[in-house]
């Protein structure tokens, strides 16, 4: 069960349409496939989606830090020495997505070695999650049409609406149009990606007070400390800390400081090991949790389902699991399918999915 080699393979797959939000937009999935090889011939896999406008990581940077720093530290360790791995990776500041992909690939390799699903190793609560779909910036009619298509084709009834434009009425009009078109049977929540000020956020939330929103997420920057506390104190819906709460210490700071009342867990930036710790902390503090999306491909989305379905708390809410549908293709041998608004964990050991070698050869960028 010893790690013998680690690969970081760049690949790029275009999106059918770009996803646009307050902190940036994505046209091509320029991701990194991470492979962890063991002396038993097992290969664990995971996907690293760089988000330079959020965490400062790039595709080239993820490859460099894995090849030059992380791989030399982990090669030779047993798959069971995960706490040692966390300590070694923790010596390097930042690089959350690179660390997360390595962690998940190790868990996948461990599951395959033990012939057990990672879901069972983590918690085994259920085998599926309801799906929430993210709606990026567009005209109200286009966003309504997309939501209706997702509802009618895939049975999705929860939508996360990207907001944060100026004037705020651009986005409040969209949310109102969605509620009027979709009715009261769907869940709607908004995510500002830090795009508004605290006062703009407060005004927008007042304009949407009659729309029965489930959550508000990262409407204004976390470093606007007093403004954010002022905003959260007057909201009547849970305020989700997302990019401001990556590790347990961040969650503690945001929640105890009055800057958040719920959290988003994204395995793409905290892996399974750190996500476990965030989950346990949230459970102890009585926080609501949403499983978030890093605009993952199908491999990353399955990792989210694997973790989210492992615990009662994380499976309670719909997870952000559908944006791979906007990609022109993917790497998996068997594409994921959303049915009746749910995504189900694949049977089998490890994460339960495999990469198609021909597709990887077609989309990889280092050969």
């Amino acid at each position: 069960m010893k790690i013998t080699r680690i690969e970081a393979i760049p690949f790029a797959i275009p999106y059918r349409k770009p996803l646009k939000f307050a902190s940036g937009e994505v046209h091509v999935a320029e991701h990194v496939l991470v492979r962890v090889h063991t002396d038993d011939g097992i290969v664990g896999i995971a996907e690293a989606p760089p988000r330079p406008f959020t965490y400062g990581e790039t595709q080239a940077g993820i490859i460099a830090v894995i090849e030059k720093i992380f791989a030399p530290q982990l090669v030779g360790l047993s798959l069971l020495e995960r706490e040692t791995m966390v300590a070694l990776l923790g010596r390097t500041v930042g690089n959350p997505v690179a660390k997360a992909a390595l962690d998940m690939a190790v868990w996948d390799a461990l599951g395959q070695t033990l012939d057990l699903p990672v879901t069972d190793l983590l918690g085994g609560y259920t085998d599926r999650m309801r799906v929430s779909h993210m709606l990026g910036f567009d005209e109200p009619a286009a966003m309504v049409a997309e939501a209706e298509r997702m509802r009618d084709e895939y049975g999705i009834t929860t939508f996360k609406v990207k907001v944060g434009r100026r004037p705020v009425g651009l986005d409040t009009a969209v949310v109102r149009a969605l509620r009027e078109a979709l009715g009261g049977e769907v869940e709607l929540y908004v995510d500002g990606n830090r795009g508004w000020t605290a006062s703009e956020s407060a005004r927008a939330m007042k304009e949407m007070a009659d729309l029965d929103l489930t959550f508000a997420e990262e409407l204004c920057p976390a470093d606007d400390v007093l403004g954010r506390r002022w905003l959260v104190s007057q909201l009547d819906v849970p305020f989700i800390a997302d990019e401001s709460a990556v590790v347990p210490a961040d969650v503690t700071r945001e929640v105890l400081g009055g800057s958040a009342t719920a959290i988003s867990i994204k395995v793409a930036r905290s892996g399974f090991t750190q996500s476990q710790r965030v989950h346990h902390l949230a459970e102890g503090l009585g926080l609501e949790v949403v499983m978030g999306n890093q605009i993952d491909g199908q491999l990353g989305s399955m990792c989210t389902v694997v973790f989210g379905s492992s615990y009662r708390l994380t499976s309670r809410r719909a997870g952000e699991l559908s944006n791979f549908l906007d990609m022109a293709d993917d790497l998996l041998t068997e594409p994921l399918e959303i049915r009746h608004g749910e995504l189900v964990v694949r049977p089998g050991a490890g994460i339960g999915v495999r990469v198609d070698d021909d597709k990887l050869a077609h989309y990889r960028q280092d050969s």
Side-chain angles (χ1 to χ4, degrees):
M1 286 201 294
K2 289 190 178 296
I3 299 172
T4 57
R5 184 162 64 98
I6 294 174
E7 294 179 277
I9 303 169
F11 67 93
I13 299 175
Y15 279 83
R16 294 188 180 95
K17 73 178 187 66
L19 181 64
K20 300 179 181 181
F21 40 96
S23 59
E25 56 185 71
V26 177
H27 295 259
V28 179
E30 294 182 304
H31 294 182
V32 179
L33 175 67
V34 175
R35 286 172 163 170
V36 171
H37 299 255
T38 76
D39 57 359
D40 298 314
I42 298 293
V43 182
I45 58 173
E47 178 182 13
R51 295 292 167 254
F53 37 75
T54 305
Y55 307 108
E57 291 175 281
T58 64
Q59 186 185 62
I62 287 173
I63 293 169
V65 76
I66 289 176
E67 292 182 344
K68 295 177 188 269
I69 299 176
F70 295 154
Q73 293 175 330
L74 301 190
V75 168
L77 293 179
S78 163
L79 296 174
L80 297 174
E81 296 180 272
R82 293 189 305 280
E83 196 67 18
T84 300
M85 296 179 198
V86 169
L88 290 170
L89 298 180
R91 294 175 179 175
T92 302
V93 175
N95 299 279
V97 174
K99 294 174 182 176
L102 283 167
D103 178 78
M104 291 188 290
V106 166
W107 276 91
D108 183 37
L110 179 61
Q112 292 182 58
T113 301
L114 300 177
D115 196 26
L116 289 170
V118 171
T119 301
D120 290 350
L121 294 175
L122 289 168
Y125 182 71
T126 183
D127 67 345
R128 66 195 61 217
M129 289 192 71
R130 289 187 299 118
V131 175
S132 170
H133 182 69
M134 289 197 300
L135 297 168
F137 292 159
D138 210 328
E139 295 300 316
M143 294 177 70
V144 167
E146 181 178 354
E148 290 176 331
R149 181 173 66 85
M150 289 295 160
R151 180 194 60 190
D152 297 343
E153 290 188 23
Y154 300 102
I156 295 172
T157 56
T158 302
F159 296 94
K160 172 176 175 172
V161 188
K162 292 294 187 178
V163 297
R165 292 179 291 183
R166 293 183 174 91
V168 299
L170 288 172
D171 291 327
T172 59
V174 166
V175 180
R176 187 165 297 279
L178 287 164
R179 176 58 75 204
E180 291 174 353
L182 300 174
E185 70 274 12
V186 306
E187 287 189 64
L188 296 176
Y189 60 108
V190 293
D191 176 14
N193 290 111
R194 314 174 309 281
W196 287 329
T197 65
S199 60
E200 288 171 329
S201 302
R203 186 165 77 254
M205 291 302 292
K206 286 179 181 177
E207 289 184 16
M208 298 185 290
D210 61 329
L211 300 182
D212 191 26
L213 298 180
T214 306
F215 299 110
E217 179 178 317
E218 297 286 19
L219 298 180
C220 60
D223 56 7
D224 179 10
V225 178
L226 295 181
R228 179 136 148 175
R229 288 177 184 171
W230 168 79
L231 171 66
V232 172
S233 70
Q234 60 184 298
L235 295 182
D236 58 1
V237 299
F239 188 93
I240 297 174
D242 176 16
E243 49 264 53
S244 63
V246 177
V247 298
D250 298 333
V251 176
T252 303
R253 180 198 64 231
E254 291 299 298
V255 173
L256 297 188
S259 296
T261 50
I263 60 167
S264 173
I265 294 178
K266 293 182 177 177
V267 296
R269 67 175 181 219
S270 51
F272 294 146
T273 302
Q274 289 286 5
S275 293
Q276 269 190 319
R277 295 175 180 181
V278 172
H279 164 271
H280 298 338
L281 177 60
E283 190 176 47
L285 292 172
L287 302 175
E288 289 226 50
V289 173
V290 171
M291 292 302 301
N293 185 295
Q294 195 102 322
I295 321 178
D296 305 300
Q298 293 189 27
L299 174 54
S301 296
M302 181 50 64
C303 286
T304 301
V305 180
V306 163
F307 184 89
S309 64
S310 296
Y311 305 102
R312 183 178 65 171
L313 178 60
T314 49
S315 61
R316 184 179 298 158
R317 293 287 184 179
E320 297 161 9
L321 301 166
S322 62
N323 283 91
F324 68 83
L325 295 172
D326 291 331
M327 292 174 62
D329 200 355
D330 213 284
L331 299 182
L332 298 190
T333 55
E334 297 180 43
L336 303 187
E337 293 185 30
I338 298 171
R339 295 179 178 175
H340 309 297
E342 295 180 326
L343 201 51
V344 179
V345 174
R346 291 282 173 81
I351 294 170
V353 294
R354 299 293 173 263
V355 167
D356 184 309
D357 290 335
D358 291 335
K359 286 188 174 184
L360 178 59
H362 179 70
Y363 290 113
R364 68 186 296 167
Q365 297 182 294
D366 61 347
S367 60

